[in-house]
Amino acid sequence: MSDTDDVQATIEQLWIYPVKSCAGVRLEEAELTDTGLLYDRAWMVVDQQGEFVTQRELPRMALIQPSFKLGQLVLRAPGMLSLHLALDAAEDPATVRVWNDTVEAYDMGDIAAQWFSDFLGPDAPDSLKRLRLARFDPEVRRPSDPKWTGGREAATQFADGFAVLLTSAASLDELNARLVGDGHAPVDQRRVRPNIVLGGLQSHDEDRVGALTITTDDGPAVIEPVKPCARCSIPDVDPDSALPGHVVGDALRGYRADPRVGGAITFGMNAIVLEGDGRMLRVGQRVSGDWRFD
């Protein structure tokens, strides 16, 4: 990091969400790939038509906790025996849909399908009683919207649209100050589901930065925030109880309407990976860059 860099920060937290819309895993280090952090949104729950399913439809997904053990993805949920999936396992080819993208993927088999259906199905609408688990095919390229990448090629797996979600500790502090000021309990980073949380910035400085260089042991990794992250109802789902509420969304609506995305409520920035495929990001690493002036 050079003293001449306008933006100077550190990595404060790292998170991945192996199964899209299930609970996250907080890590001390994570491998950066050109589609985001390794194993982030590599799996996704789908309905019988292959359409993706999230906490918007099934808030109980928040209670499914992933972990990694001995080359396996281990999924645990209240009242369920744990589900163990080999990290390199995949069964039959499948076609799935995430937002407007239809992509070729792999089905993870009947045991995984039954596990998700047993846990999520009882409280689900009829169309979501029977679920499947899909695995992203690493040979497939799912491009991010070139409107936001400036025409540069960038890709992601089953994330909503971009490789990395970037937030800052100060931004959550501001949200919590507003919540507490209105008589509500503070929330933690699980509500906003970041991949990288930066320390050392002012509130929502991540909105205003250009390409960021992360100093790793093997050389620089470079990510660039390109699109504000528009927020849906998921930050209002309590990650401990899976009960939906409204106070977080209400607080954000009070100060986070963003003209860059048509007045939608935003928190954090979607970023693309410019350099550093295969390099290890670690908590405490230095981050530098310059302000963006649009």
Side-chain angles (χ1 to χ4, degrees), residues 11-292:
I11 295 179
E12 187 164 301
Q13 295 180 25
L14 291 166
W15 291 83
I16 63 171
Y17 308 85
V19 181
K20 183 178 179 67
S21 217
C22 293
V25 180
R26 186 173 175 178
L27 301 171
E28 289 300 305
E29 62 178 27
E31 181 179 339
L32 183 67
T33 76
D34 62 355
T35 58
L37 301 184
L38 184 64
Y39 299 125
D40 184 54
R41 278 90 169 189
W43 293 265
M44 182 172 73
V45 181
V46 299
D47 64 17
Q48 290 296 296
Q49 286 70 49
E51 187 79 18
F52 79 115
V53 179
T54 73
Q55 290 181 39
R56 299 170 188 85
E57 299 83 32
L58 299 176
R60 275 170 60 83
M61 293 180 73
L63 302 179
I64 298 174
Q65 181 64 62
S67 62
F68 295 97
K69 183 177 180 179
L70 300 175
Q72 294 183 320
L73 173 68
V74 182
L75 299 170
R76 294 182 171 87
M80 301 287 292
L81 296 174
S82 58
L83 176 65
H84 293 247
L85 301 170
L87 291 177
D88 60 355
E91 294 201 12
D92 297 327
T95 301
V96 300
R97 185 173 175 85
V98 51
W99 296 111
N100 294 322
D101 296 329
T102 299
V103 296
E104 298 305 309
Y106 290 104
D107 184 85
M108 292 301 297
D110 291 341
I111 293 175
Q114 192 64 54
W115 192 90
F116 278 90
S117 299
D118 286 347
F119 181 65
L120 297 171
D123 296 326
D126 288 345
S127 62
L128 298 178
K129 294 289 187 187
R130 297 175 60 200
L131 301 167
R132 308 289 301 183
L133 184 66
R135 172 71 188 265
F136 196 86
D137 181 351
E139 299 299 318
V140 169
R141 292 288 289 180
R142 179 176 169 236
S144 297
D145 188 344
K147 169 187 172 183
W148 293 98
T149 68
R152 292 166 296 180
E153 182 181 350
T156 187
Q157 295 199 61
F158 287 140
D160 280 351
F162 297 86
V164 174
L165 181 59
L166 183 73
T167 68
S168 67
S171 297
L172 188 73
D173 289 344
E174 177 172 351
L175 171 60
N176 279 330
R178 291 170 180 268
L179 287 170
V180 171
D182 288 337
H184 304 297
V187 298
D188 59 35
Q189 292 285 356
R190 293 178 297 167
R191 292 293 188 117
V192 293
R193 300 175 69 81
N195 293 122
I196 300 175
V197 181
L198 295 180
L201 298 180
Q202 298 298 310
S203 176
H204 297 291
D205 273 353
E206 63 269 26
D207 290 359
R208 299 177 281 273
V209 298
L212 294 171
T213 299
I214 303 167
T215 303
T216 80
D217 295 343
D218 301 319
V222 183
I223 64 173
E224 183 174 337
V226 294
K227 182 185 179 184
C229 181
R231 293 297 175 158
C232 60
S233 60
I234 290 179
D236 273 317
V237 177
D238 186 326
D240 294 317
S241 67
L243 295 176
H246 60 85
V247 297
V248 173
D250 289 348
L252 290 172
R253 278 187 285 276
Y255 73 111
R256 288 299 299 169
D258 197 323
R260 295 173 295 177
V261 284
I265 306 306
T266 67
F267 191 103
M269 289 290 292
N270 292 297
I272 60 176
V273 178
L274 301 182
E275 182 181 346
D277 182 23
R279 291 179 177 152
M280 294 300 296
L281 306 189
R282 294 185 173 88
V283 170
Q285 285 175 335
R286 298 179 296 173
V287 182
S288 61
D290 294 304
W291 300 112
R292 184 183 66 243

